[in-house]
Amino acid sequence: MAAPRAFVFDAYGTLFDVHSVIEAARALTPDPQTLSALWRQKQLEYTWLRSLMGRYEDFWVVTGQALRFALRRLGITAGEAQIEALMDAYLSLAPFPEVSAALRALGGTPLAILSNGSPRMLDGAVRSSGLEGIFAHVLSVDAVRVYKPSPQVYELAPRALGLAPAEIVFVSSNAWDVAGAAAFGFTTCWCNRANAPAEELDVTPDYEVDRLDAVPEKLGI
């Protein structure tokens, strides 16, 4: 393919480690990994359900509802102050270790984020990770009030960048997100951190890496 004219990154699970909330969850349960996993599972499920029902609430609300469900499901007692502390952890998620170097290596090409996150959540994660000024655009589904993998969401990136979808490399660690982006028409790169099988959705990523700092070499940049 021709050299990419822009890179667009998913945020949660791709740039920012959603399971870094485990540290905050240790105050509530001896098994914070299980809480974090269920919280993330319900968070995604609720985005899909809300999109299908046509009942949008922003990602902060969805994340809070998913957390309350997970606490109830696991029988964990938590007061409002403890729930607030866990939610605040989403405003300062840890970036994956290679993120900064990977983005610097791609710095000659416009970079953007396209995420389910609300503007406030994304701003907090970018600032706390020291990534301010790196991205030409930080795009939130809040602009169209529906969640990935709706084509309306993916359309935000080519519109903001003034490019055709195929000229953009969309990078995500979420296989379902890569499938949605490929169906939309992006060139896609799956950051398969968990060495998971591809989704059976009749679309395949153009590239696959296991770490973001492998993207430049994989694409020959």
Side-chain angles (χ1 to χ4, degrees):
M1 64 168 286
R5 296 189 61 191
F7 286 88
V8 174
F9 293 86
D10 169 60
Y12 298 117
T14 303
L15 299 174
F16 309 118
D17 183 1
V18 295
H19 297 301
S20 61
V21 299
I22 284 172
E23 292 307 311
R26 293 188 193 281
L28 282 177
T29 172
D31 187 6
Q33 291 87 354
T34 296
L35 173 58
S36 181
L38 182 58
W39 184 5
R40 175 62 170 167
Q41 175 190 332
K42 297 307 293 187
Q43 181 192 53
L44 290 174
E45 286 180 10
Y46 286 175
T47 65
W48 300 326
L49 288 168
R50 284 193 169 278
S51 291
L52 287 167
M53 293 188 296
R55 300 188 64 177
Y56 179 83
E57 293 284 355
D58 78 22
F59 203 55
W60 183 256
V61 172
V62 169
T63 299
Q65 292 172 336
L67 173 58
R68 289 175 185 277
F69 173 90
L71 291 169
R72 288 201 319 274
R73 179 67 180 83
L74 297 173
I76 298 170
T77 301
E80 288 303 314
Q82 292 169 307
I83 291 173
E84 183 177 347
L86 275 175
M87 288 291 293
D88 283 346
Y90 249 88
L91 300 176
S92 56
L93 292 173
F96 287 98
E98 81 280 10
V99 164
S100 181
L103 296 176
R104 284 199 305 271
L106 298 172
T109 307
L111 308 178
I113 289 174
L114 177 60
S115 174
N116 278 341
S118 68
R120 171 175 173 249
M121 295 173 75
L122 293 171
D123 179 65
V126 168
R127 282 190 294 103
S128 68
S129 299
L131 300 179
E132 288 178 294
I134 289 178
F135 299 101
H137 302 278
V138 178
L139 304 169
S140 166
V141 301
D142 214 43
V144 289
R145 298 181 63 81
V146 68
Y147 287 101
K148 296 178 182 177
S150 168
Q152 294 177 64
V153 174
Y154 298 117
E155 175 61 32
L156 290 171
R159 187 184 309 154
L161 291 160
L163 297 171
E167 296 177 302
I168 298 169
V169 175
F170 180 85
V171 185
S172 180
S173 66
N174 300 296
W176 60 268
D177 191 15
V178 171
F184 176 75
F186 285 126
T187 299
T188 54
C189 181
W190 181 23
C191 184
N192 186 4
R193 298 183 185 279
N195 193 29
E199 299 287 356
E200 294 290 340
L201 290 170
D202 302 322
V203 288
T204 56
D206 297 289
Y207 302 97
E208 183 175 336
V209 296
D210 59 3
R211 292 168 52 94
L212 290 181
D213 53 4
V215 171
E217 180 178 359
K218 191 74 171 182
L219 274 68
I221 297 173

